[in-house]
Amino acid sequence: MTVEWAGGGPDLLVALDRGAGPLRIQIQDQLRTAIRERRLGAGERLPSTRRLAELLGVSRGTVVDVYEQLLAEGYVESAVGSGTRVAAMPAGGPREAPGVVAAAAPSSGPAIADFEYGIPDLGSVPLTAWSWAVSEATRTLPTAELGDEDPAGSRHLREVVTAYHRRVRSGCAVAEDAVVVSGFRQGLAFALATLAQHGLGRIALEDPGPREHDVIARRAGLDAVPVPVDAHGVDVGRLRETGARAVLLTPAHQCPTGVALSSSRRRDLVAWADDVDGVILEDDYDAEFRYDRQPVGSLQGLNPARVIALGSVSKTLAPAIRLGWILAPARFVPGIVEEQRLSSRGAPGLDQEALALLIETGRFDRHLRRVREIYRARRDVLAAEVEHAFGPGRLQGLAAGCHALLRLPDGTSERAVVAAAATLGVRVNGLDHYRLVAAEAEAEPDSRPPALVLGFGNVSEHQISRGIRTLAKAVRSQTRH
């Protein structure tokens, strides 16, 4: 796609020495060198002759002569309506400039199916609604709010997000409890750094659990320790044994096992936090996608003084819309705001306003209702195909979210199946991929049966059917050995 510049084209830095010979020759030499060294890439548009003449303080005729010479030598090309652009250099031409890396050819991806965890249906992103919201935000946002805003984020969005959390997730946060951030991971880093400043030195993480949370915790200065997950969620008894005063978990739909934290474990967890003067960090990443009943309420509403809830639109809208939020007890909010103020100045203000408009006009809820039915249909196809290919009772975690866990026959090598599936055109990860990277986890033998994590958010029903049948072939090829 060719992108047209409005006006006379981009600016260009050319340094002239008016006592060092003809200006025309200097301009030609500098442009040739920039093109040879790939500092000006193929297809890149040069300024118009009028614009470059103004920039350099020379006559337009001088620039016209330069462009005509470079055109004759094959360094540039010109077309009506497209302006003057850098021509493609021939293969085997001059070397790349230092630090310039040639762009890799785009990957074709798996030929059959990509069961990568955590990717929503990118084809269902409500781009029309988002475009409307951005346009409306641009039209209505006062110019006074286009400068640096409150480090906690847009007051409007904080009010809308907390109202949404109260309405949909049974929370009890208000705008003063909220900080808007650029996605979940940034929010997690700010929250953990704040906990470290409050003297919490150790955090427990679900094992298996989301990737790299241990790395983020250690970067914040915390000691990360694993806590096992079973059919009822995180093992609170084992949590007490760690000596940690903070725990990060995914209670509504555990990543990656898919289990929900049971009601008794929720009560035990809250009691643990009170007993140790601790903090629960709640990763509320896909709770809106519940299929058997209404979503389980947020832990934040159960004990707001002990819970930091973190959310984002990465799963509900798209990862490219880098907006998230932290709902925290009042004693932690100033520290989180200060972390944000010193690191990033906050998420883009126009995007914050757009998200607020998307939610409060009902467009966000309408999108969720639509994709929930899409995911439900894909989940049903996944369940039917797995039962046909592997037998009943092999799939868990289907009540919510966009991923499930496929238990493999005992003795099967996860890594061998993953590798075999890749050669057949299916991308998938084993449960071991989500083990906590810690000495404690490595020292304890893994008694869990082998399993595969199947993300079905961004695969069609047809791809699911073909992918599961192919996975069955990969499993059979390994169990025969």
Side-chain angles (χ1 to χ4, degrees):
M1 178 180 69
T2 299
V3 179
E4 296 296 334
W5 279 81
D11 291 348
L12 181 67
L13 177 62
V14 175
L16 297 181
D17 183 348
R18 299 185 182 275
L23 300 181
R24 176 176 58 83
I25 301 300
Q26 291 185 51
I27 300 170
Q28 283 180 21
D29 288 345
Q30 291 191 45
L31 289 179
R32 284 194 196 97
T33 300
I35 294 171
R36 287 171 180 159
E37 294 181 350
R38 306 297 204 271
R39 287 185 282 115
L40 289 173
E44 192 167 349
R45 184 171 178 178
L46 299 181
S48 68
T49 54
R50 186 184 305 278
R51 176 59 178 162
L52 187 55
E54 291 174 354
L55 289 171
L56 300 180
V58 300
S59 70
R60 185 183 179 193
T62 297
V63 178
V64 170
D65 288 344
V66 168
Y67 280 10
E68 288 181 348
Q69 183 64 31
L70 295 177
L71 180 64
E73 294 175 1
Y75 285 94
V76 301
E77 53 193 11
S78 181
V80 176
S82 183
T84 302
R85 296 181 182 273
V86 176
M89 295 296 289
R95 64 177 177 85
E96 298 285 355
V100 176
V101 179
S107 172
S108 59
I112 294 177
D114 187 347
F115 290 114
E116 176 70 12
Y117 156 81
I119 305 176
D121 183 15
L122 301 181
S124 295
V125 177
L127 294 177
T128 300
W130 181 253
S131 297
W132 169 85
V134 171
S135 176
E136 190 69 5
T138 304
R139 185 182 69 83
T140 60
L141 194 67
T143 56
E145 295 186 28
L146 295 176
D148 284 333
E149 60 183 6
D150 186 335
S154 157
R155 174 77 188 194
H156 185 197
L157 180 57
R158 287 185 286 134
E159 289 175 346
V160 169
V161 162
T162 50
Y164 173 83
H165 195 260
R166 295 193 300 270
R167 170 171 59 88
V168 176
R169 303 291 296 115
S170 300
C172 57
V174 295
E176 287 74 18
D177 304 322
V179 181
V180 180
V181 291
S182 297
F184 169 82
R185 286 199 171 196
Q186 185 183 71
L188 178 61
F190 293 164
L192 294 180
T194 301
L195 293 185
Q197 293 165 12
H198 280 254
L200 280 76
R202 174 173 290 186
I203 185 169
L205 305 177
E206 295 172 312
D207 184 32
R211 298 268 297 169
E212 299 180 325
H213 285 183
D214 57 323
V215 178
I216 298 171
R218 292 188 181 98
R219 285 174 63 88
L222 300 176
D223 178 26
V225 295
V227 178
V229 173
D230 59 25
H232 302 285
V234 69
D235 187 332
V236 181
R238 297 288 293 277
L239 171 61
R240 288 182 178 275
E241 297 172 2
T242 66
R245 289 179 52 215
V247 62
L248 171 61
L249 70 163
T250 50
H253 186 232
Q254 203 273 333
C255 169
T257 66
V259 301
L261 189 67
S262 68
S263 57
S264 61
R265 290 280 176 87
R266 289 163 71 91
R267 291 191 296 270
D268 291 345
L269 187 66
V270 169
W272 163 83
D274 286 335
D275 291 344
V276 303
D277 189 23
V279 179
I280 302 164
L281 291 98
E282 179 180 22
D283 180 357
D284 203 29
Y285 69 102
D286 70 352
E288 287 87 350
F289 302 126
R290 184 89 191 191
Y291 309 113
D292 58 347
R293 54 184 167 81
Q294 289 295 312
V296 178
S298 168
L299 288 171
Q300 191 274 339
L302 196 60
N303 193 345
R306 297 288 182 192
V307 177
I308 298 176
L310 300 106
S312 79
V313 296
S314 292
K315 304 295 187 294
T316 52
L317 290 176
I321 302 176
R322 286 285 172 210
L323 287 175
W325 49 87
I326 308 171
L327 310 180
R331 66 186 184 278
F332 297 128
V333 171
I336 294 170
V337 170
E338 184 69 358
E339 287 292 321
Q340 169 140 279
R341 187 187 71 81
L342 294 174
S343 70
S344 67
R345 289 285 191 178
L350 282 174
D351 286 355
Q352 293 187 53
E353 181 67 14
L355 180 58
L357 291 171
L358 201 71
I359 296 174
E360 69 179 356
T361 60
R363 288 170 168 84
F364 184 68
D365 286 65
R366 184 170 62 199
H367 164 70
L368 290 180
R369 288 193 296 269
R370 183 170 64 89
V371 295
R372 189 181 294 121
E373 292 310 308
I374 292 173
Y375 295 148
R376 184 195 300 273
R378 292 177 183 174
R379 178 202 68 157
D380 292 346
V381 170
L382 179 70
E385 291 290 347
V386 166
E387 182 167 353
H388 181 265
F390 293 92
R394 289 286 178 182
L395 210 56
Q396 73 176 48
L398 287 176
C402 299
H403 78 273
L405 195 70
L406 170 61
R407 292 191 297 109
L408 299 174
D410 291 344
T412 305
S413 167
E414 286 181 12
R415 293 186 180 182
V417 170
V418 168
T423 64
L424 296 174
V426 173
R427 181 183 181 188
V428 69
N429 285 314
L431 184 61
D432 189 61
H433 186 67
Y434 299 90
R435 289 297 308 273
L436 181 65
V437 181
E440 295 91 338
E442 293 169 359
E444 183 175 330
D446 188 1
S447 60
R448 282 184 295 268
L452 300 178
V453 180
L454 303 177
F456 56 86
N458 198 40
V459 284
S460 69
E461 294 176 24
H462 176 67
Q463 289 172 324
I464 291 171
S465 296
R466 292 189 63 202
I468 294 302
R469 294 168 192 170
T470 304
L471 279 179
K473 293 179 183 178
V475 172
R476 287 195 297 271
S477 72
Q478 298 308 309
T479 54
R480 285 197 299 265
H481 293 134

PDB file of all heavy atoms in Angstrom, residues 213-240:
ATOM      1  N   HIS A 213       5.523 -13.934  34.738  1.00  0.00           N
ATOM      2  CA  HIS A 213       5.156 -13.144  35.901  1.00  0.00           C
ATOM      3  C   HIS A 213       6.237 -13.207  36.970  1.00  0.00           C
ATOM      4  O   HIS A 213       6.440 -12.250  37.724  1.00  0.00           O
ATOM      5  CB  HIS A 213       3.820 -13.623  36.465  1.00  0.00           C
ATOM      6  CG  HIS A 213       2.642 -13.196  35.639  1.00  0.00           C
ATOM      7  ND1 HIS A 213       1.339 -13.470  35.984  1.00  0.00           N
ATOM      8  CD2 HIS A 213       2.586 -12.506  34.472  1.00  0.00           C
ATOM      9  CE1 HIS A 213       0.530 -12.960  35.072  1.00  0.00           C
ATOM     10  NE2 HIS A 213       1.260 -12.387  34.146  1.00  0.00           N
ATOM     11  N   ASP A 214       6.952 -14.326  37.039  1.00  0.00           N
ATOM     12  CA  ASP A 214       8.057 -14.423  37.991  1.00  0.00           C
ATOM     13  C   ASP A 214       9.176 -13.459  37.622  1.00  0.00           C
ATOM     14  O   ASP A 214       9.807 -12.861  38.492  1.00  0.00           O
ATOM     15  CB  ASP A 214       8.575 -15.856  38.059  1.00  0.00           C
ATOM     16  CG  ASP A 214       9.024 -16.385  36.712  1.00  0.00           C
ATOM     17  OD1 ASP A 214       8.391 -16.055  35.693  1.00  0.00           O
ATOM     18  OD2 ASP A 214      10.019 -17.135  36.669  1.00  0.00           O
ATOM     19  N   VAL A 215       9.420 -13.296  36.337  1.00  0.00           N
ATOM     20  CA  VAL A 215      10.461 -12.367  35.886  1.00  0.00           C
ATOM     21  C   VAL A 215      10.080 -10.932  36.256  1.00  0.00           C
ATOM     22  O   VAL A 215      10.909 -10.155  36.747  1.00  0.00           O
ATOM     23  CB  VAL A 215      10.667 -12.485  34.360  1.00  0.00           C
ATOM     24  CG1 VAL A 215      11.718 -11.492  33.880  1.00  0.00           C
ATOM     25  CG2 VAL A 215      11.057 -13.915  33.988  1.00  0.00           C
ATOM     26  N   ILE A 216       8.822 -10.577  36.033  1.00  0.00           N
ATOM     27  CA  ILE A 216       8.344  -9.228  36.362  1.00  0.00           C
ATOM     28  C   ILE A 216       8.461  -8.992  37.869  1.00  0.00           C
ATOM     29  O   ILE A 216       8.856  -7.907  38.315  1.00  0.00           O
ATOM     30  CB  ILE A 216       6.901  -9.042  35.880  1.00  0.00           C
ATOM     31  CG1 ILE A 216       6.824  -9.176  34.360  1.00  0.00           C
ATOM     32  CG2 ILE A 216       6.352  -7.684  36.315  1.00  0.00           C
ATOM     33  CD1 ILE A 216       5.417  -9.213  33.793  1.00  0.00           C
ATOM     34  N   ALA A 217       8.118 -10.021  38.660  1.00  0.00           N
ATOM     35  CA  ALA A 217       8.198  -9.875  40.118  1.00  0.00           C
ATOM     36  C   ALA A 217       9.638  -9.644  40.574  1.00  0.00           C
ATOM     37  O   ALA A 217       9.904  -8.785  41.423  1.00  0.00           O
ATOM     38  CB  ALA A 217       7.616 -11.117  40.788  1.00  0.00           C
ATOM     39  N   ARG A 218      10.558 -10.389  40.020  1.00  0.00           N
ATOM     40  CA  ARG A 218      11.957 -10.239  40.424  1.00  0.00           C
ATOM     41  C   ARG A 218      12.525  -8.887  39.997  1.00  0.00           C
ATOM     42  O   ARG A 218      13.347  -8.296  40.702  1.00  0.00           O
ATOM     43  CB  ARG A 218      12.788 -11.390  39.864  1.00  0.00           C
ATOM     44  CG  ARG A 218      12.437 -12.737  40.506  1.00  0.00           C
ATOM     45  CD  ARG A 218      13.403 -13.846  40.090  1.00  0.00           C
ATOM     46  NE  ARG A 218      13.019 -15.107  40.716  1.00  0.00           N
ATOM     47  CZ  ARG A 218      12.315 -16.056  40.114  1.00  0.00           C
ATOM     48  NH1 ARG A 218      11.962 -15.899  38.853  1.00  0.00           N
ATOM     49  NH2 ARG A 218      11.984 -17.160  40.742  1.00  0.00           N
ATOM     50  N   ARG A 219      12.093  -8.406  38.848  1.00  0.00           N
ATOM     51  CA  ARG A 219      12.534  -7.073  38.416  1.00  0.00           C
ATOM     52  C   ARG A 219      12.043  -5.992  39.368  1.00  0.00           C
ATOM     53  O   ARG A 219      12.656  -4.926  39.495  1.00  0.00           O
ATOM     54  CB  ARG A 219      12.048  -6.787  36.997  1.00  0.00           C
ATOM     55  CG  ARG A 219      12.821  -7.537  35.909  1.00  0.00           C
ATOM     56  CD  ARG A 219      12.184  -7.327  34.550  1.00  0.00           C
ATOM     57  NE  ARG A 219      12.218  -5.929  34.140  1.00  0.00           N
ATOM     58  CZ  ARG A 219      13.213  -5.354  33.485  1.00  0.00           C
ATOM     59  NH1 ARG A 219      14.287  -6.055  33.174  1.00  0.00           N
ATOM     60  NH2 ARG A 219      13.157  -4.084  33.139  1.00  0.00           N
ATOM     61  N   ALA A 220      10.906  -6.258  40.023  1.00  0.00           N
ATOM     62  CA  ALA A 220      10.367  -5.294  40.985  1.00  0.00           C
ATOM     63  C   ALA A 220      11.013  -5.443  42.362  1.00  0.00           C
ATOM     64  O   ALA A 220      10.685  -4.679  43.276  1.00  0.00           O
ATOM     65  CB  ALA A 220       8.858  -5.464  41.096  1.00  0.00           C
ATOM     66  N   GLY A 221      11.916  -6.419  42.504  1.00  0.00           N
ATOM     67  CA  GLY A 221      12.609  -6.593  43.770  1.00  0.00           C
ATOM     68  C   GLY A 221      11.967  -7.601  44.702  1.00  0.00           C
ATOM     69  O   GLY A 221      12.318  -7.659  45.885  1.00  0.00           O
ATOM     70  N   LEU A 222      11.053  -8.429  44.192  1.00  0.00           N
ATOM     71  CA  LEU A 222      10.372  -9.407  45.026  1.00  0.00           C
ATOM     72  C   LEU A 222      10.914 -10.809  44.771  1.00  0.00           C
ATOM     73  O   LEU A 222      11.336 -11.131  43.660  1.00  0.00           O
ATOM     74  CB  LEU A 222       8.862  -9.403  44.743  1.00  0.00           C
ATOM     75  CG  LEU A 222       8.114  -8.092  44.995  1.00  0.00           C
ATOM     76  CD1 LEU A 222       6.661  -8.234  44.582  1.00  0.00           C
ATOM     77  CD2 LEU A 222       8.209  -7.686  46.458  1.00  0.00           C
ATOM     78  N   ASP A 223      10.871 -11.634  45.789  1.00  0.00           N
ATOM     79  CA  ASP A 223      11.198 -13.047  45.668  1.00  0.00           C
ATOM     80  C   ASP A 223       9.933 -13.773  45.225  1.00  0.00           C
ATOM     81  O   ASP A 223       8.891 -13.672  45.889  1.00  0.00           O
ATOM     82  CB  ASP A 223      11.681 -13.566  47.021  1.00  0.00           C
ATOM     83  CG  ASP A 223      12.005 -15.049  46.992  1.00  0.00           C
ATOM     84  OD1 ASP A 223      12.341 -15.565  45.901  1.00  0.00           O
ATOM     85  OD2 ASP A 223      11.921 -15.685  48.057  1.00  0.00           O
ATOM     86  N   ALA A 224       9.991 -14.490  44.111  1.00  0.00           N
ATOM     87  CA  ALA A 224       8.818 -15.179  43.564  1.00  0.00           C
ATOM     88  C   ALA A 224       8.897 -16.660  43.889  1.00  0.00           C
ATOM     89  O   ALA A 224       9.904 -17.314  43.604  1.00  0.00           O
ATOM     90  CB  ALA A 224       8.734 -14.973  42.056  1.00  0.00           C
ATOM     91  N   VAL A 225       7.819 -17.202  44.483  1.00  0.00           N
ATOM     92  CA  VAL A 225       7.789 -18.611  44.855  1.00  0.00           C
ATOM     93  C   VAL A 225       6.537 -19.256  44.266  1.00  0.00           C
ATOM     94  O   VAL A 225       5.499 -18.608  44.145  1.00  0.00           O
ATOM     95  CB  VAL A 225       7.802 -18.784  46.387  1.00  0.00           C
ATOM     96  CG1 VAL A 225       9.110 -18.282  46.964  1.00  0.00           C
ATOM     97  CG2 VAL A 225       6.614 -18.076  47.032  1.00  0.00           C
ATOM     98  N   PRO A 226       6.622 -20.537  43.892  1.00  0.00           N
ATOM     99  CA  PRO A 226       5.471 -21.198  43.271  1.00  0.00           C
ATOM    100  C   PRO A 226       4.505 -21.776  44.301  1.00  0.00           C
ATOM    101  O   PRO A 226       4.912 -22.208  45.390  1.00  0.00           O
ATOM    102  CB  PRO A 226       6.126 -22.322  42.471  1.00  0.00           C
ATOM    103  CG  PRO A 226       7.343 -22.679  43.268  1.00  0.00           C
ATOM    104  CD  PRO A 226       7.828 -21.394  43.881  1.00  0.00           C
ATOM    105  N   VAL A 227       3.228 -21.775  43.937  1.00  0.00           N
ATOM    106  CA  VAL A 227       2.193 -22.444  44.718  1.00  0.00           C
ATOM    107  C   VAL A 227       1.388 -23.309  43.764  1.00  0.00           C
ATOM    108  O   VAL A 227       0.938 -22.821  42.723  1.00  0.00           O
ATOM    109  CB  VAL A 227       1.251 -21.441  45.420  1.00  0.00           C
ATOM    110  CG1 VAL A 227       0.163 -22.186  46.189  1.00  0.00           C
ATOM    111  CG2 VAL A 227       2.023 -20.552  46.364  1.00  0.00           C
ATOM    112  N   PRO A 228       1.209 -24.592  44.076  1.00  0.00           N
ATOM    113  CA  PRO A 228       0.516 -25.464  43.126  1.00  0.00           C
ATOM    114  C   PRO A 228      -0.963 -25.126  42.976  1.00  0.00           C
ATOM    115  O   PRO A 228      -1.597 -24.579  43.883  1.00  0.00           O
ATOM    116  CB  PRO A 228       0.709 -26.857  43.729  1.00  0.00           C
ATOM    117  CG  PRO A 228       0.978 -26.630  45.170  1.00  0.00           C
ATOM    118  CD  PRO A 228       1.692 -25.325  45.259  1.00  0.00           C
ATOM    119  N   VAL A 229      -1.496 -25.488  41.798  1.00  0.00           N
ATOM    120  CA  VAL A 229      -2.909 -25.324  41.473  1.00  0.00           C
ATOM    121  C   VAL A 229      -3.509 -26.709  41.296  1.00  0.00           C
ATOM    122  O   VAL A 229      -2.903 -27.576  40.655  1.00  0.00           O
ATOM    123  CB  VAL A 229      -3.077 -24.504  40.179  1.00  0.00           C
ATOM    124  CG1 VAL A 229      -4.538 -24.461  39.739  1.00  0.00           C
ATOM    125  CG2 VAL A 229      -2.525 -23.101  40.364  1.00  0.00           C
ATOM    126  N   ASP A 230      -4.692 -26.913  41.872  1.00  0.00           N
ATOM    127  CA  ASP A 230      -5.377 -28.186  41.669  1.00  0.00           C
ATOM    128  C   ASP A 230      -6.766 -27.929  41.084  1.00  0.00           C
ATOM    129  O   ASP A 230      -7.028 -26.842  40.554  1.00  0.00           O
ATOM    130  CB  ASP A 230      -5.450 -28.996  42.970  1.00  0.00           C
ATOM    131  CG  ASP A 230      -6.185 -28.262  44.085  1.00  0.00           C
ATOM    132  OD1 ASP A 230      -7.026 -27.384  43.791  1.00  0.00           O
ATOM    133  OD2 ASP A 230      -5.932 -28.576  45.273  1.00  0.00           O
ATOM    134  N   ALA A 231      -7.664 -28.891  41.199  1.00  0.00           N
ATOM    135  CA  ALA A 231      -8.984 -28.777  40.582  1.00  0.00           C
ATOM    136  C   ALA A 231      -9.845 -27.686  41.202  1.00  0.00           C
ATOM    137  O   ALA A 231     -10.880 -27.310  40.633  1.00  0.00           O
ATOM    138  CB  ALA A 231      -9.719 -30.124  40.673  1.00  0.00           C
ATOM    139  N   HIS A 232      -9.431 -27.149  42.350  1.00  0.00           N
ATOM    140  CA  HIS A 232     -10.204 -26.095  43.024  1.00  0.00           C
ATOM    141  C   HIS A 232      -9.510 -24.733  42.957  1.00  0.00           C
ATOM    142  O   HIS A 232      -9.962 -23.781  43.585  1.00  0.00           O
ATOM    143  CB  HIS A 232     -10.451 -26.484  44.482  1.00  0.00           C
ATOM    144  CG  HIS A 232     -11.173 -27.786  44.640  1.00  0.00           C
ATOM    145  ND1 HIS A 232     -12.527 -27.932  44.397  1.00  0.00           N
ATOM    146  CD2 HIS A 232     -10.709 -29.018  44.982  1.00  0.00           C
ATOM    147  CE1 HIS A 232     -12.878 -29.191  44.596  1.00  0.00           C
ATOM    148  NE2 HIS A 232     -11.801 -29.879  44.954  1.00  0.00           N
ATOM    149  N   GLY A 233      -8.408 -24.660  42.235  1.00  0.00           N
ATOM    150  CA  GLY A 233      -7.669 -23.412  42.147  1.00  0.00           C
ATOM    151  C   GLY A 233      -6.395 -23.459  42.960  1.00  0.00           C
ATOM    152  O   GLY A 233      -5.864 -24.534  43.268  1.00  0.00           O
ATOM    153  N   VAL A 234      -5.896 -22.310  43.314  1.00  0.00           N
ATOM    154  CA  VAL A 234      -4.637 -22.253  44.049  1.00  0.00           C
ATOM    155  C   VAL A 234      -4.795 -22.924  45.413  1.00  0.00           C
ATOM    156  O   VAL A 234      -5.834 -22.811  46.076  1.00  0.00           O
ATOM    157  CB  VAL A 234      -4.167 -20.787  44.202  1.00  0.00           C
ATOM    158  CG1 VAL A 234      -5.073 -20.001  45.140  1.00  0.00           C
ATOM    159  CG2 VAL A 234      -2.725 -20.719  44.663  1.00  0.00           C
ATOM    160  N   ASP A 235      -3.767 -23.654  45.831  1.00  0.00           N
ATOM    161  CA  ASP A 235      -3.781 -24.383  47.095  1.00  0.00           C
ATOM    162  C   ASP A 235      -3.411 -23.410  48.222  1.00  0.00           C
ATOM    163  O   ASP A 235      -2.231 -23.076  48.418  1.00  0.00           O
ATOM    164  CB  ASP A 235      -2.776 -25.539  47.026  1.00  0.00           C
ATOM    165  CG  ASP A 235      -2.839 -26.456  48.236  1.00  0.00           C
ATOM    166  OD1 ASP A 235      -3.209 -25.981  49.324  1.00  0.00           O
ATOM    167  OD2 ASP A 235      -2.510 -27.646  48.089  1.00  0.00           O
ATOM    168  N   VAL A 236      -4.411 -22.952  48.976  1.00  0.00           N
ATOM    169  CA  VAL A 236      -4.178 -21.935  49.997  1.00  0.00           C
ATOM    170  C   VAL A 236      -3.352 -22.508  51.150  1.00  0.00           C
ATOM    171  O   VAL A 236      -2.553 -21.785  51.776  1.00  0.00           O
ATOM    172  CB  VAL A 236      -5.514 -21.363  50.504  1.00  0.00           C
ATOM    173  CG1 VAL A 236      -5.268 -20.276  51.555  1.00  0.00           C
ATOM    174  CG2 VAL A 236      -6.319 -20.783  49.346  1.00  0.00           C
ATOM    175  N   GLY A 237      -3.519 -23.799  51.449  1.00  0.00           N
ATOM    176  CA  GLY A 237      -2.689 -24.408  52.484  1.00  0.00           C
ATOM    177  C   GLY A 237      -1.210 -24.324  52.140  1.00  0.00           C
ATOM    178  O   GLY A 237      -0.372 -23.984  52.988  1.00  0.00           O
ATOM    179  N   ARG A 238      -0.890 -24.638  50.897  1.00  0.00           N
ATOM    180  CA  ARG A 238       0.511 -24.532  50.457  1.00  0.00           C
ATOM    181  C   ARG A 238       0.963 -23.067  50.403  1.00  0.00           C
ATOM    182  O   ARG A 238       2.141 -22.765  50.620  1.00  0.00           O
ATOM    183  CB  ARG A 238       0.663 -25.196  49.093  1.00  0.00           C
ATOM    184  CG  ARG A 238       0.374 -26.693  49.094  1.00  0.00           C
ATOM    185  CD  ARG A 238       1.487 -27.476  49.783  1.00  0.00           C
ATOM    186  NE  ARG A 238       2.716 -27.403  49.033  1.00  0.00           N
ATOM    187  CZ  ARG A 238       3.013 -28.191  48.002  1.00  0.00           C
ATOM    188  NH1 ARG A 238       2.142 -29.137  47.600  1.00  0.00           N
ATOM    189  NH2 ARG A 238       4.160 -28.080  47.365  1.00  0.00           N
ATOM    190  N   LEU A 239       0.037 -22.179  50.102  1.00  0.00           N
ATOM    191  CA  LEU A 239       0.362 -20.753  50.096  1.00  0.00           C
ATOM    192  C   LEU A 239       0.830 -20.310  51.478  1.00  0.00           C
ATOM    193  O   LEU A 239       1.812 -19.560  51.602  1.00  0.00           O
ATOM    194  CB  LEU A 239      -0.865 -19.950  49.655  1.00  0.00           C
ATOM    195  CG  LEU A 239      -0.789 -18.422  49.795  1.00  0.00           C
ATOM    196  CD1 LEU A 239       0.343 -17.857  48.941  1.00  0.00           C
ATOM    197  CD2 LEU A 239      -2.129 -17.786  49.403  1.00  0.00           C
ATOM    198  N   ARG A 240       0.163 -20.770  52.517  1.00  0.00           N
ATOM    199  CA  ARG A 240       0.557 -20.390  53.874  1.00  0.00           C
ATOM    200  C   ARG A 240       1.975 -20.851  54.195  1.00  0.00           C
ATOM    201  O   ARG A 240       2.703 -20.203  54.960  1.00  0.00           O
ATOM    202  CB  ARG A 240      -0.420 -20.977  54.892  1.00  0.00           C
ATOM    203  CG  ARG A 240      -1.792 -20.319  54.900  1.00  0.00           C
ATOM    204  CD  ARG A 240      -2.696 -20.906  55.967  1.00  0.00           C
ATOM    205  NE  ARG A 240      -4.002 -20.252  56.016  1.00  0.00           N
ATOM    206  CZ  ARG A 240      -4.263 -19.144  56.689  1.00  0.00           C
ATOM    207  NH1 ARG A 240      -3.291 -18.565  57.405  1.00  0.00           N
ATOM    208  NH2 ARG A 240      -5.467 -18.619  56.690  1.00  0.00           N
TER     209      ARG A 240
END
